[in-house]
Amino acid sequence: MRVLGVDPGLTRCGVGVVEGTAGRPLTMLGVGVVRTPSDAEIGDRLVAIEQGITDWLDEHRPELVAVERVFAQHNVRTVMGTAQASAVAVLCASRRGIPVALHTPSEVKAAVTGSGRADKAQVGAMVTRLLRLAAPPKPADAADALALAICHIWRAPAMNRLRQAQSAARPSRLPASPPSSSVRKVTR
């Protein structure tokens, strides 16, 4: 499975591509950051992020895009920018018919380090180790993007089994209306 991880942000949007399967060594195919100037208009910044992500999709042809799920922080402005960049990533993938998975920061940290409360240095160190890199990717947004991709590759088989089990456990849907032979009109 080839996954493009996206750590959304308006100034720095981390991107990283990882290929592999759960239980096997993973391979990093690329890592970087899509940058936008903080003094540019919001529309121009979003267009730049769209172009950057589109370039990554063209170059690496991922099977899935894993995006960090936006969570509420105290700084509303930061949350809004992150949400906007996240929406651009989802839109770029969806236009191409590429499935998108959203993962929370604590879910990613737990998958990669074993602790949902790990700090950025711990995530970077584990990404470096898991992908057999010489040094942690810089800036941290790039390492976080790789961590998102790793998280999805490792969690996808379990998530698929869970969805299948849930589907099998659901009662089959009844027809919208009963067959005509069993409908009786009741009059009083």
Side-chain angles (χ1 to χ4, degrees):
M1 171 181 283
R2 181 177 293 190
V3 177
L4 171 66
V6 179
D7 181 39
L10 271 181
T11 304
R12 289 183 318 270
C13 184
V15 287
V17 181
V18 176
E19 188 170 65
T21 58
R24 302 252 186 216
L26 302 172
T27 304
M28 180 189 76
L29 301 179
V31 65
V33 177
V34 176
R35 296 179 187 272
T36 68
S38 59
D39 59 349
E41 293 293 324
I42 185 68
D44 294 334
R45 294 177 83 181
L46 294 174
V47 167
I49 291 169
E50 177 190 28
Q51 186 57 58
I53 291 173
T54 296
D55 291 346
W56 278 82
L57 293 171
D58 288 343
E59 183 178 346
H60 294 284
R61 306 252 182 242
E63 298 166 56
L64 187 129
V65 175
V67 181
E68 184 174 275
R69 183 182 299 273
V70 178
F71 65 99
Q73 294 176 330
H74 299 292
N75 186 340
V76 174
R77 184 176 174 175
T78 301
V79 171
M80 290 301 295
T82 302
Q84 291 164 331
S86 177
V88 169
V90 171
L91 178 66
C92 288
S94 297
R95 276 189 179 145
R96 294 166 180 254
I98 301 171
V100 176
L102 301 173
H103 297 285
T104 65
S106 60
E107 186 180 343
V108 174
K109 291 174 186 179
V112 174
T113 70
S115 170
R117 295 177 182 248
D119 63 23
K120 288 205 178 274
Q122 290 170 307
V123 171
M126 283 306 295
V127 164
T128 302
R129 184 175 178 190
L130 294 168
L131 296 175
R132 300 168 313 284
L133 305 175
K138 300 284 183 190
D141 309 276
D144 289 348
L146 291 171
L148 276 152
I150 293 167
C151 171
H152 187 77
I153 290 169
W154 284 356
R155 293 179 52 96
M159 290 168 41
N160 289 339
R161 285 192 301 275
L162 181 59
R163 273 195 291 276
Q164 289 170 350
Q166 288 172 334
S167 293
R170 286 189 194 120
S172 61
R173 293 185 174 247
L174 298 174
S177 60
S180 59
S181 62
S182 65
V183 175
R184 287 189 271 173
K185 186 174 182 181
V186 178
T187 58
R188 294 183 192 217

